[in-house]
Amino acid sequence: MSTTHNEKSSTVQRYSAGARVNHWITAGSLVLLAISGLALFHPSLFFLTAFFGGGETTRMLHPWIGVVLFFSFLGLFFRFWRANLWNRTDNVWMSKLRDVLAGNEENMPEIGKYNAGQKLVFWFMSALILILITSGVVVWDEYFYQYTSIDQKRYAILVHSLAAIAAISVWIVHVYAAIWVKGTIRAMTRGSVTGGWAWRHHRKWLRELVAGKATGAGK
């Protein structure tokens, strides 16, 4: 646990520097993948290839950025999977989703490091990135052309496109939620949150942190 005090408030460490770097590499590679993938997806979006130096360069870089995303997210997965395991409190949280959207958090159960919504984002992204890397390898002809058939490539492209759309949608929800809940972005920029933020949004986690029992504390 790492808690510091000043005259106005207390701050609580939520993420280590390593976790934050890991997160921003994942986020950056996901954005680059989305832009390059959309550029290759439809002729009307081909102008986006200009960000990567043209169509050929975009086609070459896209799968390699995907590899970076996969291994970067793998790092996040091993850091945080335990904290994202589903429990009974998450069922209660989901049943009171209207209170969450209305900002009536006093009616919500005490939450650990992540609420049910954050856990769903984590597990959806875990599954989608696995689907993306698997289907991506099937259509990565430069290295794997001889190992798959034309029909397999066609199915893989369809699956890859649908998974990419889903991943972009989940990412938008994730970013919106981080902006909507004031004080959340600070956790991934400074590594800490205010004591008041932790008490309001993740009270169980704060109690466990103070007791030295928090799962993945500071990772």
Side-chain angles (χ1 to χ4, degrees), residues 136-207:
V137 166
V138 174
V139 297
W140 197 355
D141 287 346
E142 184 176 359
Y143 299 103
F144 305 103
Y145 178 81
Q146 61 189 8
Y147 301 109
T148 56
S149 67
I150 297 299
D151 285 339
Q152 288 173 331
K153 296 179 195 298
R154 288 171 177 169
Y155 284 120
I157 290 174
L158 176 61
V159 171
H160 194 79
S161 299
L162 293 174
I165 293 171
I168 292 172
S169 300
V170 173
W171 176 80
I172 291 173
V173 171
H174 174 62
V175 172
Y176 179 80
I179 296 173
W180 181 49
V181 181
K182 186 178 180 181
T184 299
I185 293 179
R186 168 187 173 138
M188 272 301 172
T189 54
R190 304 185 193 179
S192 63
V193 293
T194 65
W197 183 96
W199 180 257
R200 179 179 181 183
H201 301 295
H202 299 274
R203 192 168 302 181
K204 181 181 178 182
W205 170 70
L206 181 60
R207 293 185 191 278

Side-chain angles (χ1 to χ4, degrees), residues 7 10 17 26 33 38 45 60 76 131 165 175 177 184 193 206:
E7 295 179 357
S10 63
T26 302
L33 272 176
L38 289 171
L45 298 173
M60 182 272 291
L76 290 179
I131 293 171
I165 293 171
V175 172
T184 299
V193 293
L206 181 60

Side-chain angles (χ1 to χ4, degrees), residues 99-112:
D99 287 320
V100 175
L101 298 176
N104 299 325
E105 294 191 58
E106 63 275 7
N107 298 326
M108 306 301 294
E110 292 192 357
I111 301 299

Side-chain angles (χ1 to χ4, degrees), residues 34-50:
I35 295 173
S36 58
L38 289 171
L40 298 170
F41 181 72
H42 195 274
S44 66
L45 298 173
F46 188 76
F47 70 92
L48 294 173
T49 61

Side-chain angles (χ1 to χ4, degrees), residues 19-29 72 185 188-189:
R20 299 197 305 277
V21 170
N22 195 169
H23 170 271
W24 289 114
I25 291 174
T26 302
S29 58
S72 181
I185 293 179
M188 272 301 172
T189 54

Side-chain angles (χ1 to χ4, degrees), residues 37-158:
L38 289 171
L40 298 170
F41 181 72
H42 195 274
S44 66
L45 298 173
F46 188 76
F47 70 92
L48 294 173
T49 61
F51 290 106
F52 304 92
E56 291 186 7
T57 307
T58 302
R59 184 66 186 89
M60 182 272 291
L61 289 176
H62 182 76
W64 284 111
I65 298 171
V67 172
V68 173
L69 172 67
F70 175 75
F71 283 105
S72 181
F73 188 85
L74 193 63
L76 290 179
F77 183 87
F78 284 121
R79 286 178 185 274
F80 301 124
W81 73 271
R82 289 184 183 276
N84 281 280
L85 292 176
W86 200 265
N87 55 50
R88 293 181 179 179
T89 302
D90 298 315
N91 294 329
V92 177
W93 191 92
M94 291 296 295
S95 70
K96 296 186 176 183
L97 191 57
R98 288 186 178 181
D99 287 320
V100 175
L101 298 176
N104 299 325
E105 294 191 58
E106 63 275 7
N107 298 326
M108 306 301 294
E110 292 192 357
I111 301 299
K113 186 162 188 176
Y114 300 112
N115 61 44
Q118 292 168 316
K119 290 180 180 181
L120 287 175
V121 167
F122 177 85
W123 291 111
F124 273 127
M125 288 303 293
S126 297
L128 290 168
I129 288 175
L130 183 59
I131 293 171
L132 286 168
I133 191 69
T134 303
S135 58
V137 166
V138 174
V139 297
W140 197 355
D141 287 346
E142 184 176 359
Y143 299 103
F144 305 103
Y145 178 81
Q146 61 189 8
Y147 301 109
T148 56
S149 67
I150 297 299
D151 285 339
Q152 288 173 331
K153 296 179 195 298
R154 288 171 177 169
Y155 284 120
I157 290 174
L158 176 61

